[in-house]
Amino acid sequence: MSEKTALTPATHTTPPAKFSHGVKKGNLLQVAGQVGFLPAVAGQPPTPAGPTLREQTLQTFANVRAILEEGGATWDDVMMMRVYLTDVDHFAEMNEIYNAYFEEQQLTAPPAARTTVYVGLPKGLLIEIDALAVLS
């Protein structure tokens, strides 16, 4: 039986409660919901990448990717992504950003994905993304 390993890349703050940014067990890697915080700076509170959906989405992708890499995965290993937006009017813009980003990643096959509107993110945050990866 394989061990469960908590993943916290150097770019991320220590979680404020008993959860992990990512967890790997066997060939499964679950990335917890990530938001568009800039890389952690010791002694400073988390800072959003910027006020725009584009800035926050690209930083959120970078934060998800950091956890994937920490666990030995890539975007090609991602089977499912869930995107949570705080504004229904952001769907079209997020889809444009998402499509352009993953076109650059040259994925073998895009992951399954779903997007929903969720208004419970901390003030100023516009997007959250989680992902499930299966490693070969």
Side-chain angles (χ1 to χ4, degrees):
M1 183 182 293
S2 60
E3 287 187 32
K4 183 166 75 170
T5 305
L7 304 171
T8 299
T11 54
H12 288 55
T13 59
T14 300
K18 289 289 184 191
F19 66 86
S20 301
H21 287 291
V23 175
K24 181 178 176 185
K25 184 169 182 172
N27 68 338
L28 296 179
L29 191 164
Q30 176 66 56
V31 177
Q34 298 296 300
V35 295
F37 285 142
L38 293 168
V41 176
Q44 293 185 8
T47 305
T52 69
L53 181 65
R54 177 174 193 71
E55 291 167 308
Q56 289 190 27
T57 301
L58 293 175
Q59 186 61 53
T60 301
F61 285 146
N63 294 342
V64 171
R65 185 177 189 163
I67 296 164
L68 291 170
E69 289 174 353
E70 183 83 5
T74 69
W75 285 118
D76 270 323
D77 297 311
V78 174
M79 301 297 292
M80 178 67 178
M81 287 185 29
R82 290 173 200 84
V83 178
Y84 305 92
L85 298 172
T86 59
D87 188 334
V88 70
D89 292 334
H90 288 162
F91 268 91
E93 182 181 1
M94 191 284 300
N95 283 338
E96 288 176 22
I97 298 164
Y98 182 99
N99 287 340
Y101 180 85
F102 284 108
E103 187 173 309
E104 288 178 15
Q105 302 306 308
Q106 300 179 353
L107 298 179
T108 317
R114 77 172 308 274
T115 303
T116 191
V117 175
Y118 172 71
V119 294
L121 295 179
K123 185 176 169 72
L125 293 175
L126 305 172
I127 187 167
E128 179 178 340
I129 298 174
D130 69 52
L132 175 65
V134 178
L135 289 81
S136 306

